[in-house]
Amino acid sequence: AYIAAALPDHRVKIFDPNLYPLDESRGRLKYELETLQPDMVGISLRNIDTTKRRDPFVHYKTIAPMVGLIRQVNPRGKIVIGGTAFSLYAQEIMERIPGIDFGVYLEGDETVVELIDHMDRPELVKGIFFRKAGVVHFTGERPQPDFGALSRPQRGGDVVDISRYVNNRQTAIGVQSKRGCAL
């Protein structure tokens, strides 16, 4: 929603796989990708682990198959990952999941806007992990944005269907009230 607000001149649509059973979410994602054929697909990785003792890294384990599906359905689109969990393990995630084109380290509002303008020269954008000749590179940290000057998150209209949350079978909706953990 924050990234959508930073890109008012671009069509942004949020797909939340958590709204569907795991086996159904892949089909829904495939449908959205086939319908939109986006130039860029962003993945937000908020958590790596859970409190489940049997499978503590369940969130991380879904990323590689998702990247594979995105690449299969939309081979020309660029895949960008970001989020709190990505920033914690950015180098490792980029090295372990080679299908990811770019990683956004820390706040993405300004970084993604610059990345769109410099897709062919990502080394010019601070706060980006990218690949060159199969090697992961990091462009270095960028200053934190002025949070007071950033746009409010886009939560309606064509960006996200809020009714999917309201009419969901779940009895609770997760609301993130801060932008992530301080590193």
Side-chain angles (χ1 to χ4, degrees):
Y2 283 105
I3 300 301
L7 298 169
D9 298 330
H10 297 271
R11 182 167 183 223
V12 177
K13 184 166 183 175
I14 295 172
F15 172 78
D16 185 349
N18 296 305
L19 292 173
Y20 308 95
L22 186 57
D23 57 338
E24 186 182 336
S25 68
R26 288 183 54 81
R28 295 281 186 152
L29 175 59
K30 184 177 178 185
Y31 171 79
E32 293 291 339
L33 291 167
E34 288 171 344
T35 302
L36 297 172
Q37 287 297 306
D39 296 326
M40 178 185 284
V41 176
I43 299 172
S44 177
L45 183 57
R46 181 174 168 233
N47 292 334
I48 290 284
D49 61 353
T50 67
T51 57
K52 295 180 180 179
R53 292 173 63 185
R54 290 187 183 168
D55 192 0
F57 299 103
V58 68
H59 297 304
Y60 174 73
K61 291 178 181 177
T62 63
I63 299 301
M66 183 184 301
V67 167
L69 177 65
I70 294 167
R71 184 68 63 214
Q72 174 190 352
V73 175
N74 188 17
R76 289 187 303 272
K78 298 297 182 187
I79 299 174
V80 181
I81 190 168
T84 306
F86 173 77
S87 293
L88 289 170
Y89 303 103
Q91 184 77 33
E92 294 87 349
I93 291 172
M94 290 296 292
E95 288 173 357
R96 291 181 183 187
I97 307 177
I100 299 169
D101 295 300
F102 304 104
V104 176
Y105 182 72
L106 298 177
E107 307 303 329
D109 311 60
E110 297 167 345
T111 308
V112 170
V113 173
E114 285 184 35
L115 177 60
I116 288 172
D117 291 338
H118 296 92
M119 294 290 273
D120 57 337
R121 302 218 34 223
E123 65 273 6
L124 299 177
V125 181
K126 288 290 186 194
I128 292 290
F129 283 83
F130 70 98
R131 292 175 207 293
K132 188 171 187 177
V135 177
V136 174
H137 297 273
F138 179 54
T139 60
E141 291 189 36
R142 69 183 302 128
Q144 289 292 313
D146 175 2
F147 292 108
L150 295 177
S151 299
R152 300 181 84 175
Q154 283 282 340
R155 293 191 179 112
D158 295 333
V159 174
V160 62
D161 181 3
I162 297 296
S163 70
R164 296 285 311 162
Y165 293 89
V166 176
N167 298 321
N168 196 295
R169 68 190 180 290
Q170 299 176 357
T171 58
I173 299 173
V175 176
Q176 189 165 334
S177 61
K178 67 178 192 170
R179 294 180 64 97
C181 305
L183 296 178

